Amino acid sequence: MKTQVDSGGIVTLTKEGENLIKDSPLFNEGLRPTTMEEHSWTSYNFASLWIGMSICLPAYSLAAGLIALGMNWWQAIITIILGNCIVLIPILLNSHAGTKFGIPYPVYARLWFGSKGAHIPAVARGLVGAGWFGINCWFGGTAIDTLLMSMSSWGNVTGHTWIAFIGFWALNVWIAYRGPETIRKMEFWAAPTLIVMSLALLVWALTKAGGWGPMLSAPSKFNTAGEFLVVFFPSLTGAIAFWATMALNIPDFCRYAKSQRAQIIGQSTSLPTTMGGFSFIGVAVASATVVIYGEALWDPAAVLAKFSPFAIFLGTIGIILATLTTNVAANVVAPARAIENLAPRRMTFGAGAIITGVVALVMQPWYILDNFGNYIFLWLGTYAALLGPIDGIAIADYWMVRKRRIHLTELYHPNGIYSYKGGYNWHAIWALAIGIAVPFISRLIPGLGFIWDNAWTVGLFVSLIFYTWFMKNSSSVMNEKEYNKITAHVDTQAS
C-alpha cells in the first residue's frame, strides 16, 4: 500500500497514510507532516526570517565582545562571517529533510533517537532555546529601560529595570503563544524595516565621526599570530554556536518550504550576509562613539539615548521589533514543539510557548550576560559542545545512513521501525555521549585545549563517524526497493 507520495521532491501522506496515524498517541496537528498546500514559503520568506533573526541585540553584542577580547574590526567581522558560513552547512543539510518530508524537529529526531529517545535532543535544543529566549528578553527589556530613562523620570520608579524586563518578557510570550503563522507574517514586514533602521544608524555614525578612517582605526591588541589564535578559535566556536541551535530545528520552518531551491537560496543569501553586515554596523557605530563621545558605547540603547526624543521613540520601536523577530522565531518554536512532543495529545504549541517563557526566567539570563566571558565562553562555548554532536547524528542519519529515505507513517507508530528497543536508539545515545565526552575530557588535559576551543566542530564529526558506524546494519534502514513500495512518485517539477 502506498502511504506517501513524492511530487517534485516533496513527500506528503496519501489518504491511506493519514488514516494510519491520525489516532496515534504520537500524533497531533502541530506534529503531523505538512500537506502540499502548506508548502508555501518562498525564498523571500526564508530571507526575511533570517534577516529578522540576525538583526538583534545579541548579534550586536557578539561583535562587541570580540572587540573587547582584543580583535580589530576586520578580524571580528571575518570571524563572525566565517562562523556563519560554517554553520550554514548543517543548516542546509537538515533543511533538506524538513522540506522533503514536511516534519518538525521533534518528529525528525524520532528517526535517529527513537520514539521516546527523541525527547533527549528535543529537550536539549529546547533548553538552549529557552535560555536564548531569556537572554533576548533581558537585552530588550534593559534597552527599553535605558530609553525610557532618557525620555522621562522613569529612573525614579522603584524596580524600573525589572518592570521593563518582565513587561517585555510578557509581550514576547503573548506573541509566541499566537503560533508560527503569526511569526511568519511578522517577519515579512519586519525584515525591510530593520534593514532601513540599521543603515540609518550607520549613516549617522559615518557622518558624525567624519568618515571611515576615524571610525575603524583602532588596532588589534594581539602582537603575534599565536596570541590571536588563542582567542580566535573559541570565538569562532561562539560564532558558530550562535546559530547552531537553528541548525537542529530548522525543519520546523523548512517543512513549509515551496521547494528545496526556495529554502537554499533564501537561507544562503541572507544568513552570512546579514550577520556579517549587522555585526559591521555594530562595530562601526561603537567605534564612531569613541570619536563622537570619547568612549565606546557597545549598547545600542545607550547610543540612542543621546538622540532627540522622537529619534529615541523610533529607536525603541526598532529595538522591540528586532528582539521580537529573533526571539519568537529562533527561541520559542523549538522548545514549544519539544514540550508539545512530550505529550502530543495533551500539550499544544501555545502551552509550550508559555512554559518556555517560565523556564527562561529560571535560567537567569542576567547572570549569563554579566560579562562577555560568560556570554561567549560559558554560554556559547558550553552549549556548542552539547549541540554539535546532535547535529552530527542528524546529518549522518539522513544523508549517510538512510540516503534520504524515510517511512513517514512509521514515525508516528509507538512500536514502529523507528522505535528501536523500547523507544530508544542506543546507537544514537552512545554516539552522542562519545561526541560530548571527547571535547569535555580534552578540556581537562594539558595540551588538548584546542579540541575544546573547537568543541562544536569536533563533537559533530566524532558523533557523525561513530553513529554511521554503529548504524551500518540497522533493520530500520530501508533500501530503495522498500522505499518505492510505500511511495508513489508523481513526475511534477517542484516550482
Side-chain angles (χ1 to χ4, degrees), residues 35-116:
T35 64
M36 187 58 73
E37 291 72 25
E38 290 172 316
H39 281 271
S40 59
W41 284 37
T42 63
S43 292
Y44 178 80
N45 290 126
F46 285 101
S48 64
L49 174 74
W50 278 110
I51 292 170
M53 291 193 300
S54 297
I55 299 179
C56 61
L57 300 187
Y60 195 103
S61 294
L62 176 63
L66 298 185
I67 299 294
L69 290 171
M71 294 187 183
N72 61 26
W73 72 269
W74 63 264
Q75 290 171 337
I77 302 307
I78 288 177
T79 300
I80 291 170
I81 292 176
L82 179 59
N84 280 273
C85 287
I86 291 171
V87 80
L88 180 63
I89 297 171
I91 285 174
L92 293 179
L93 290 174
N94 287 328
S95 292
H96 191 284
T99 300
K100 182 173 182 178
F101 292 98
I103 49 177
Y105 170 62
V107 176
Y108 184 38
R110 294 173 189 170
L111 193 65
W112 356 300
F113 273 84
S115 56
K116 295 179 181 178

Side-chain angles (χ1 to χ4, degrees), residues 164-388:
F165 166 59
I166 294 299
F168 190 61
W169 169 88
L171 175 63
N172 278 260
V173 172
W174 178 74
I175 291 178
Y177 178 82
R178 295 173 62 86
E181 185 60 21
T182 300
I183 295 171
R184 183 186 71 84
K185 292 177 180 178
M186 182 176 64
E187 298 285 3
F188 184 91
W189 296 107
T193 303
L194 291 172
I195 291 175
V196 171
M197 296 185 77
S198 299
L199 292 176
L201 188 61
L202 178 62
V203 170
W204 167 83
L206 182 63
T207 303
K208 284 286 188 178
W212 295 113
M215 288 171 60
L216 305 175
S217 58
S220 169
K221 296 179 182 178
F222 305 115
N223 297 316
T224 65
E227 289 180 3
F228 171 71
L229 292 177
V230 168
V231 173
F232 169 74
F233 283 112
S235 298
L236 179 65
T237 293
I240 293 170
F242 197 89
W243 290 122
T245 52
M246 288 294 291
L248 281 175
N249 80 290
I250 192 64
D252 286 331
F253 299 94
C254 286
R255 62 193 294 228
Y256 302 108
K258 192 173 184 180
S259 65
Q260 297 290 358
R261 182 175 181 272
Q263 61 90 1
I264 291 172
I265 292 176
Q267 298 191 95
S268 300
T269 56
S270 58
L271 172 57
T273 54
T274 307
M275 281 295 292
F278 188 61
S279 297
F280 173 76
I281 290 174
V283 170
V285 171
S287 300
T289 61
V290 176
V291 179
I292 301 167
Y293 302 117
E295 61 176 325
L297 299 177
W298 291 108
D299 182 354
V303 178
L304 289 169
K306 296 183 176 293
F307 286 27
S308 68
F310 180 69
I312 292 173
F313 173 73
L314 292 179
T316 303
I317 294 175
I319 284 176
I320 291 173
L321 195 60
T323 307
L324 282 173
T325 52
T326 301
N327 223 13
V328 296
N331 305 321
V332 175
V333 174
R337 291 290 185 217
I339 293 166
E340 191 178 9
N341 189 53
L342 290 172
R345 290 296 182 178
R346 296 190 298 274
M347 281 291 181
T348 63
F349 181 89
I354 293 173
I355 293 172
T356 298
V358 174
V359 173
L361 295 178
V362 174
M363 296 180 74
Q364 305 179 66
W366 45 90
Y367 170 74
I368 296 173
L369 297 175
D370 188 48
N371 61 58
F372 288 129
N374 283 346
Y375 180 49
I376 293 177
F377 297 123
L378 176 63
W379 172 245
L380 294 177
T382 300
Y383 86 63
L386 298 174
L387 297 189

Side-chain angles (χ1 to χ4, degrees), residues 112-134:
W112 356 300
F113 273 84
S115 56
K116 295 179 181 178
H119 298 315
I120 298 172
V123 170
R125 168 61 182 96
L127 285 173
V128 174
W132 268 119
F133 183 84

